[in-house]
Amino acid sequence: MIRNSLWLMWLLAWSASAQDTLSIDFAKRQRAVIYGSTAAYTVSMVGLNALWYSQYDRQSFRFFDDSREWKQMDKIGHFYAAYQVTAIGAATWRWAGFDEAKAVRTAALVSFGILSSIEILDGFSAGYGASGSDWVANASGAGLYWLQSAVWKEQRVYPKFSFHRTALAPQRPSLLGNGLLEEIIKDYNGQTQWLSVDMDKFIPGWPKWLNIAPGYGAHDMLFAEDGANKANGLTPYRQVYLGIDFDLTAFRSKNKFWNTLIFIGNMVRLPAPALELSRGNVKGHWVYF
């Protein structure tokens, strides 16, 4: 489930940022990365078991096809999480002294392995079941980072996330979240997934701080499947966006703390104008998040 992946991603980001005060000796840094990542992973697995798996019985491993649920918002969320875990891992392994190719390769494989282990837990839980489409999304997210590093030696296209609260979550708080923090992770109606494109890398003279970002969302969903939503009087639909985005990396400095904030902040699309195409209509938003 994507909520599990996002929680794990933020734990790993904390683990990576916490290592900046350690010795600059690369051997020590590599040990610190291994110990810190292992600790974060262990804490996350224990927490996931307590929060999501303990309420369900164990079963023999099985697959469950959820590829048609939630208008595929869950799949795009897995793609986003896998990419960001790879980005965090690559930055951490660079800090630990790996060359660029080795840092990216290690980060991508570890990202896929970590998120795949969550699918294994799902497979043994009577409440979920392993998802083959989640595995594909995990591989695609990690692969996007790896591919761009191999082809361009940098990241020119990267996923971002935005969220706004909806009136749907209070109708099913157990599923869509009870309170803002839970809703950010659980309410797919309020989530939008973006692909931010560094236009200055393709068009000479384009402002470095200004990106173009297509986006995707879905709305009017209280249940995972369209049939259940329609049976309850809802009309689930997809939303396609095209908006501007701000590349925060254009404002990097020599201050490590500031650059860490930029690294984390650049995972989110900040409020900005966007066009929305949904239900056959085009709508403009002066500010959309």
Side-chain angles (χ1 to χ4, degrees), residues 1-8 44-58 118 122 125-128 174-175 182 185-186:
M1 306 296 285
I2 185 55
R3 56 180 178 269
N4 302 355
S5 304
L6 289 174
W7 187 42
L8 178 59
S44 68
M45 290 299 104
V46 172
L48 288 175
N49 182 69
L51 290 174
W52 282 294
Y53 297 114
S54 60
Q55 58 185 309
Y56 298 106
D57 294 333
R58 295 289 188 265
I118 296 175
D122 283 350
S125 171
Y128 299 108
S174 60
L175 183 65
E182 286 191 8
I185 298 174
K186 294 182 177 181

Side-chain angles (χ1 to χ4, degrees), residues 165-244:
R165 303 187 79 174
T166 74
L168 292 162
Q171 299 179 46
R172 288 199 75 189
S174 60
L175 183 65
L176 301 182
N178 184 11
L180 177 60
L181 292 179
E182 286 191 8
E183 290 170 27
I184 289 174
I185 298 174
K186 294 182 177 181
D187 186 6
Y188 293 119
N189 299 283
Q191 296 179 9
T192 307
Q193 300 285 351
W194 305 84
L195 272 180
S196 186
V197 182
D198 274 351
M199 300 299 295
D200 64 293
K201 303 293 176 57
F202 300 99
I203 302 177
W206 186 278
K208 180 175 174 54
W209 55 270
L210 183 62
N211 286 8
I212 299 296
Y216 176 76
H219 196 66
D220 219 22
M221 302 179 296
L222 287 177
F223 303 88
E225 298 180 353
D226 281 357
N229 284 308
K230 292 176 181 178
N232 284 273
L234 300 169
T235 54
Y237 61 93
R238 305 176 191 276
Q239 301 160 306
V240 177
Y241 297 91
L242 182 65
I244 66 172

